[in-house]
Amino acid sequence: MTDHAIRLLLADDHPVVRAGLRAVLETEPGLTVVAEAATAEDAVARAAQGDIDVVLMDLQFGKGMGGAEATAQITARPGAPRVLIVTTYDSDADTLPAIEAGATGYLLKDVPPEDLAFAVRTAFTGRTTLAPAVADRLMNRLRAPATNLTRRETEVLSLVAEGLSNQTIGQRLHLTEGTVKSHLARIYAKLGTDSRTAAVATATDLGLIRR
């Protein structure tokens, strides 16, 4: 596959998670962890140095840049390493932006060690590995497009779920209050609901927004 070990960058803001990933991956032949990053910004900078083959990227880093944005910046460069998302989140609000940003694979943190190692090797070759829950959800989106929310609708409803008003949502997303209301009307129609609370509950049950 390669004449050198596959060189890995672990990007996660939790030291215990990074230590766990390192412990698992460094027991695997042909894999070596060469760097760690505790912020998405550091991950982008480190990945640009040219000695990384695969980045294992979390999605949430607290303050600052998120994993999806970091993935987009990393994969935009020529000769970029592959990015494999390893996270606890599997809602459409998380998976779709990450995949659109250029992630080669998407795993959940409860993945068995042997599956993680396989996914790293698969990502290195440019092929995709998806957690079963994520793959199922993507297939369901293709089978039932009528209930799919656009990325903007997902953003709006996620903020509704946080308890924000239409005015505040508009300020956060740089939209007019009327545009927010229009998005909500389309969301209600797609989900067959007639209130903010019902829309949030239904979207959560369907895995469209984070639980």
Side-chain angles (χ1 to χ4, degrees):
M1 187 188 305
T2 175
D3 58 0
H4 63 75
I6 298 174
R7 301 162 299 183
L8 309 177
L9 166 62
L10 308 181
D12 195 292
D13 60 342
H14 291 96
V16 172
V17 173
R18 297 198 306 273
L21 290 172
R22 179 184 285 272
V24 168
L25 294 168
E26 289 199 326
T27 64
E28 291 286 335
L31 304 183
T32 182
V33 177
V34 300
E36 298 182 12
T39 69
E41 290 84 355
D42 287 348
V44 172
R46 186 63 185 82
Q49 294 184 23
D51 61 342
I52 302 295
D53 297 310
V54 179
V55 181
L56 281 76
M57 177 75 71
D58 193 13
L59 283 183
Q60 300 296 320
F61 286 85
K63 295 181 180 178
M65 185 188 300
E69 183 180 350
T71 297
Q73 292 194 21
I74 289 171
T75 58
R77 295 192 173 105
R82 307 294 185 181
V83 178
L84 178 63
I85 302 297
V86 184
T87 185
T88 57
Y89 303 110
D90 66 349
S91 73
D92 283 10
D94 298 298
T95 59
L96 296 180
I99 292 170
E100 290 172 359
T104 301
Y106 197 111
L107 298 178
L108 303 181
K109 286 181 178 176
D110 61 358
V111 61
E114 62 272 17
D115 291 351
L116 177 62
F118 176 80
V120 168
R121 295 188 177 99
T122 299
F124 177 75
T125 66
R127 292 178 292 129
T128 299
T129 299
L130 298 176
V134 174
D136 288 347
R137 188 156 292 137
L138 291 176
M139 289 300 295
N140 288 337
R141 285 180 64 86
L142 293 175
R143 294 190 188 104
T147 61
N148 293 342
L149 302 183
T150 66
R151 185 168 178 177
R152 178 63 85 189
E153 288 165 355
T154 300
E155 290 173 337
V156 169
L157 193 55
S158 294
L159 294 176
V160 169
E162 292 180 16
L164 302 186
S165 67
N166 290 351
Q167 182 179 16
T168 304
I169 292 170
Q171 292 170 348
R172 183 80 63 88
L173 299 179
H174 307 291
L175 303 172
T176 67
E177 191 170 349
T179 299
V180 173
K181 290 179 180 178
S182 295
H183 282 306
L184 283 172
R186 286 193 293 272
I187 290 168
Y188 295 166
K190 287 182 177 182
L191 300 181
T193 59
D194 58 4
S195 71
R196 298 162 74 91
T197 302
V200 168
T202 299
T204 300
D205 288 343
L206 293 172
L208 303 179
I209 61 175
R210 187 181 302 161
R211 295 180 184 277

